[in-house]
Amino acid sequence: LCRLNSALPEGARRAPPARAHVRSCLRCQVVGTRERVLRREMARLGSATVPAPPYLAASVMARLGEQGSAGAGHRIPAGSAARRVAATGVGVTAAAAAALIAGLVRRKSRTA
């Protein structure tokens, strides 16, 4: 039932058989608590943005290297707009992950 409960969509987890299982299963209660904490932390972050470090765009583009299409042999244009989009995406993802981890660590240190 634990595997089944974790695979169910959110609405199905509220069905009476699933709720009865969660009331009696410590593992499922822990998973549910973790999910609620994660949702609360993500909601608290909202639309917070953290600027990417200046070296990040150059680092990402260097790792990408020469990009070519599969069979045509055409080079994918990597203009300044594409670099900004890639750097912004990587920066936002890294910032969100760092903020989430910092929030969880902070929460954990308050409970300890």
Side-chain angles (χ1 to χ4, degrees), residues 14 24 28 30 34 51 55 72 75 94 103 108:
R14 295 183 184 143
S24 64
C28 289
V30 168
R34 285 180 185 158
Y55 62 84
R75 186 161 188 229
K108 209 174 217 182

Side-chain angles (χ1 to χ4, degrees), residues 2 9 27-28 43 54 64 95:
C2 293
R27 180 184 297 165
C28 289
L64 288 176

Side-chain angles (χ1 to χ4, degrees), residues 17-82:
R19 282 194 314 219
H21 168 73
V22 171
R23 276 195 297 265
S24 64
C25 179
L26 291 177
R27 180 184 297 165
C28 289
Q29 290 172 12
V30 168
V31 168
T33 302
R34 285 180 185 158
E35 288 176 356
R36 281 190 301 279
V37 167
L38 182 61
R39 279 194 204 106
R40 203 170 27 242
E41 288 294 322
M42 294 298 286
R44 189 179 61 80
L45 290 174
S47 62
T49 57
V50 178
Y55 62 84
L56 187 61
S59 175
V60 168
M61 294 312 291
R63 285 183 182 235
L64 288 176
E66 180 106 10
Q67 299 288 320
S69 61
H74 299 288
R75 186 161 188 229
I76 295 174
S80 63

Side-chain angles (χ1 to χ4, degrees), residues 81-102:
R83 285 189 199 104
R84 280 191 297 243
V85 169
T88 302
V90 171
V92 167
T93 303
L100 179 63
I101 291 169

